[in-house]
Amino acid sequence: MTGLRAFLLPHRVVMLALALGVVIWCAVALRWDWLPKYLPLIGEGIWRTIWLLAVTSVLGFLLAIPLGLAQAAGPWYLAAPARVFCTVIRGTPLLLQLWLLYYGLGSLFPQFPAIRQSELWPYLRQAWPYAVLALTLSFAGYEGEVMRGAFKGVPSGQLEAARAMGMPRLTILRRIWLPLAIRRALPTLGGETVLQLKATPLVATITVVDIYAVASRVRQDTFIVYEPLLLLAVVYMVITGGIVLGFRWFENRVPSRVA
Amino acid sequence: MLETLTEAFPTLSLLAWEPPGWGANLVRGLVNSIQIALGAFGLGLLIGTGGAYGKLYGGPVMRDMLAVYTTVVRAVPELVLILILYFAVTDLVNQALVSFGYDRVQISGVAAGIAVLGVVQGAYATEVLRGAILAVPVGQLEAARAMGMPVLKAARRITLPLMLANAIPGLANLWLIATKDTALLAIVGFAELTLQTRQAASSTKAFLTFFLAAGVLYLLITLLSGVIFGRVEKWARRGQPGSGGGGR
């Protein structure tokens, strides 16, 4: 209660009233009559955006662990390729990577009859596998760099203690090194996930129908310029808020006492 | 050597400078990209400096408005912001022109791109610079105030030079984001490197060649910027104890 009272300073009340006024003006003065017709499509688009975000973040993070480990502690023949991968992913625009995979590989594959006759071909003809691949590689590239720092930042005393207890190397990784590194990476992980969300609308350019593509279609069908874009902005802000709150909740649950 | 290469990969000859090749187009796109990135980065720095000072020393209303600005811009995808700002800015300018009795104008792609990406960059730069200013030791500012320095002079001679060293890593990151965000302007039809590449690729069907070539160009910018920012950080840290320049 005191928190709410501290928040509601006089100028904030005025600002909130102004914001409410803008929202009401938007609801009344702008055109929203297209909304009921496109509602199912919008729901599908939001679902696909969240699905892409979840799948590519999880896969990308799983890929980032070996990338970070190779750079932090691996021999040079593992560390060098991992570093080159991270540099290339972080040094080129995601849109270019996406188009390279979709148009480049997509135009290469049909030239090989073996690929065309394989079981995978029905999937390789669609757009979403390329979207998932590009977004996963991108997340892995950025997060691999974070994990490198996290692995390096784990206090060496912890690892020495584990080794002194005679733990095998894989057990050390599983029970000591990795959990401590993930705990260090957790604050940045939330930010990276928000950035990943903001990267998902790019997949609309290769014909994956996410919420951005739905909004573009509404704009093309109805010639309404601003309203679908406003809806898009609100949807993304809500999802971002969800991600931030989710990670905050998760961080509070993880014990944070670092020895 | 070069001939055997072009024999092995016949599409490489498409990268030649002269018209059957598309080299000149790619380089023109690259120049456009760099131009927009530089403009957006500069505009972002201006907005960011103002925003950081506003957030730190402004009144409560100013602070809350800046908080709304940075939160909204950092929560909404750049692509959506670019579309909203691109249409809204063009529309507003044209409405203003019409109401004053002038004809509508077509706003140039470069100007619109710089304005839009600059607003996005400004939000991130605000946070980077705010953190860097906070990291300036309080004693330095107190000393300046005790010497009777006016506020603006203290900002120019004490705060800004001292915070620059702290801000450089964040700003380097922002510059890389700016160069990569120029690719998004391809979607509103601006002829920067990515769109030029796509046009070249789809008219010659040599997709891999062109996209890889563009990737190399972007990568060159990134690597070169890394070297330059490393130098700048070393310069900004001159005379500071303990760091030995650059390293963490």
Side-chain angles (χ1 to χ4, degrees):
Chain A
M1 199 59 214
T2 49
L4 189 65
R5 188 161 298 166
F7 177 77
L8 284 178
L9 298 170
H11 75 275
R12 287 222 175 99
V13 176
V14 175
M15 281 173 75
L16 282 178
L18 277 179
L20 199 65
V22 170
V23 170
I24 291 174
W25 179 83
C26 282
V28 174
L30 299 179
R31 281 185 56 190
W32 297 102
D33 51 334
W34 48 273
L35 210 50
K37 190 184 155 202
Y38 286 97
L39 213 51
L41 210 56
I42 290 172
E44 252 171 62
I46 293 177
W47 163 244
R48 195 152 300 157
T49 293
I50 293 177
W51 182 87
L52 261 180
L53 173 70
V55 168
T56 58
S57 300
V58 170
L59 289 180
F61 184 68
L62 291 181
L63 199 57
I65 292 172
L67 278 173
L69 198 60
Q71 287 183 72
W76 64 268
Y77 52 85
L78 289 179
R83 185 159 309 145
V84 168
F85 175 80
C86 286
T87 311
V88 168
I89 291 289
R90 285 153 36 100
T92 53
L94 177 57
L95 187 62
L96 192 78
Q97 296 163 17
L98 194 65
W99 286 357
L100 172 70
L101 288 175
Y102 182 64
Y103 295 110
L105 284 187
S107 70
L108 203 63
F109 282 154
Q111 296 172 7
F112 299 102
I115 294 179
R116 255 184 319 185
Q117 281 153 9
S118 72
E119 302 280 317
L120 284 175
W121 181 239
Y123 296 102
L124 291 178
R125 273 169 51 203
Q126 294 170 15
W128 65 265
Y130 299 96
V132 169
L133 181 62
L135 285 174
T136 302
L137 291 182
S138 160
F139 194 80
Y142 284 92
E143 197 57 32
E145 202 71 15
V146 174
M147 286 310 289
R148 176 182 66 96
F151 275 121
K152 274 197 170 161
V154 171
S156 56
Q158 304 266 5
L159 304 178
E160 280 161 14
R163 226 169 288 146
M165 301 289 282
M167 256 191 205
R169 286 169 69 181
L170 270 181
T171 317
I172 293 180
L173 179 64
R174 185 166 55 84
R175 292 189 41 183
I176 314 284
W177 209 4
L178 188 58
L180 284 175
I182 289 180
R183 191 158 77 194
R184 288 182 157 263
L186 214 49
T188 35
L189 200 57
E192 286 298 331
T193 312
V194 173
L195 288 183
Q196 181 78 351
L197 169 71
K198 292 173 29 171
T200 53
L202 291 181
V203 303
T205 60
I206 61 167
T207 71
V208 176
V209 185
D210 70 333
I211 180 65
Y212 177 85
V214 172
S216 307
R217 203 181 127 191
V218 173
R219 289 173 56 215
Q220 277 166 11
D221 287 358
T222 60
F223 298 109
I224 298 173
V225 180
Y226 293 115
E227 288 83 345
L229 288 175
L230 282 179
L231 181 75
L232 260 188
V234 170
V235 166
Y236 281 112
M237 277 196 278
V238 169
I239 301 179
T240 304
I243 294 172
V244 171
L245 287 182
F247 269 95
R248 193 175 296 165
W249 175 81
F250 193 59
E251 263 176 64
N252 285 339
R253 286 200 43 163
V254 174
S256 64
R257 198 165 58 97
V258 175
Chain B
M1 172 67 192
L2 204 64
E3 277 161 17
T4 49
L5 249 178
T6 45
E7 261 170 40
F9 302 98
T11 50
L12 272 185
S13 61
L14 289 171
L15 293 174
W17 189 267
E18 296 290 319
W22 291 76
N25 290 52
L26 290 194
V27 171
R28 216 175 300 140
L30 179 70
V31 170
N32 272 338
S33 284
I34 293 177
Q35 213 178 345
I36 289 186
L38 279 177
F41 187 64
L43 185 59
L45 272 186
L46 280 182
I47 298 178
T49 313
Y53 267 96
K55 263 197 166 181
L56 287 172
Y57 305 112
V61 179
M62 170 79 103
R63 265 188 232 183
D64 281 357
M65 277 168 51
L66 283 170
V68 170
Y69 162 61
T70 51
T71 310
V72 168
V73 168
R74 293 191 303 164
V76 178
E78 284 83 358
L79 193 53
V80 178
L81 282 177
I82 285 173
L83 283 182
I84 293 179
L85 291 175
Y86 193 80
F87 287 115
V89 169
T90 335
D91 224 34
L92 281 179
V93 169
N94 273 330
Q95 270 180 13
L97 281 178
V98 168
S99 65
F100 285 116
Y102 293 102
D103 281 337
R104 298 179 147 264
V105 289
Q106 188 72 37
I107 292 182
S108 84
V110 178
I114 288 176
V116 171
L117 288 184
V119 169
V120 177
Q121 287 267 310
Y124 287 91
T126 300
E127 296 297 322
V128 169
L129 294 177
R130 192 180 73 101
I133 291 176
L134 276 179
V136 171
V138 188
Q140 305 268 4
L141 262 181
E142 280 168 359
R145 223 171 292 147
M147 302 291 282
M149 252 192 211
V151 175
L152 270 181
K153 199 173 188 186
R156 186 166 56 84
R157 292 192 39 186
I158 311 292
T159 313
L160 289 179
L162 276 175
M163 70 127 195
L164 193 62
N166 302 324
I168 289 289
L171 291 181
N173 242 345
L174 273 185
W175 161 250
L176 292 183
I177 292 177
T179 56
K180 285 183 284 175
D181 273 359
T182 56
L184 298 179
L185 294 174
I187 289 164
V188 291
F190 179 68
E192 46 65 68
L193 181 53
T194 303
L195 190 64
Q196 292 274 20
T197 310
R198 194 181 163 183
Q199 281 166 354
S202 51
S203 55
T204 57
K205 300 290 169 214
F207 289 101
L208 272 180
T209 313
F210 279 110
F211 283 128
L212 285 177
V216 169
L217 287 181
Y218 278 114
L219 207 56
L220 280 181
I221 300 181
T222 305
L223 296 177
L224 202 65
S225 318
V227 173
I228 293 174
F229 272 105
R231 290 258 173 89
V232 173
E233 189 178 354
K234 219 175 217 171
W235 169 80
R237 283 205 190 279
R238 73 204 183 283
Q240 283 190 16
S243 64
R248 287 190 192 181

